Amino acid sequence: MVKEDISRILDGVSGKRLWFGFAGAAAAWAIAGILDVTWEGRGCPRSETALILSMPGWAQALTAGITFFLLAVAILAGVVSYRNWRKLASEPDFVEAEANDRREFMGMFGVLVSTTLAIGIIWFVLAIFIVGVCVRAH
């Protein structure tokens, strides 16, 4: 136990950094999805003409702003994960990495998850501007 604490201090990767990199993008993606579904359910009128309506400009800007903030959180989680992995990795090439211990795995997996879920958040915000939230809701 003491040896693990000493190695953690020496390599400069705390548990908080590992967990933020590992789960930060997933939390941002989940919040973006929940907000997207909640906004559609509450903000879009239920009528036959709703298919041609779009969000008001202020609501579109607010939704995009929140989504871009969550995208920034996901990207930051990816950067933190990559830095964690670089400090912990036994292999210098990401493609050749094996993630032999738990902490190295958390760093490597955080990079992959952050990249994937950041793309998912981008798809959320693209749909707001291209299709319109109210059109997607029906």
Side-chain angles (χ1 to χ4, degrees):
M1 177 92 168
V2 174
K3 184 177 180 182
E4 183 179 317
D5 292 337
I6 292 171
S7 68
R8 185 179 314 147
I9 292 169
L10 291 176
D11 63 28
V13 178
S14 68
K16 290 178 184 179
R17 288 180 56 88
L18 278 171
W19 280 105
F20 174 72
F22 185 76
W29 179 80
I31 292 169
I34 290 168
L35 289 176
D36 191 48
V37 169
T38 302
W39 184 259
E40 288 174 4
R42 302 226 190 276
C44 297
R46 305 259 184 230
S47 70
E48 295 297 323
T49 60
L51 292 175
I52 59 172
L53 296 175
S54 64
M55 292 174 71
W58 66 268
Q60 201 172 29
L62 178 65
T63 304
I66 292 170
T67 307
F68 282 127
F69 171 75
L70 294 170
L71 177 62
V73 170
I75 291 170
L76 179 63
V79 169
V80 167
S81 286
Y82 182 74
R83 288 182 179 167
N84 291 344
W85 174 79
R86 291 296 299 159
K87 288 181 182 179
L88 299 169
S90 56
E91 185 68 38
D93 187 19
F94 191 79
V95 176
E96 301 291 326
E98 294 182 4
N100 295 324
D101 69 342
R102 178 187 64 87
R103 295 171 57 217
E104 188 177 345
F105 172 78
M106 287 178 73
M108 185 176 167
F109 190 73
V111 172
L112 297 173
V113 167
S114 296
T115 303
T116 304
L117 295 180
I119 292 169
I121 292 172
I122 290 170
W123 281 106
F124 280 146
V125 77
L126 283 178
I128 291 169
F129 292 108
I130 294 173
V131 178
V133 171
C134 292
V135 174
R136 287 187 312 146
H138 299 289

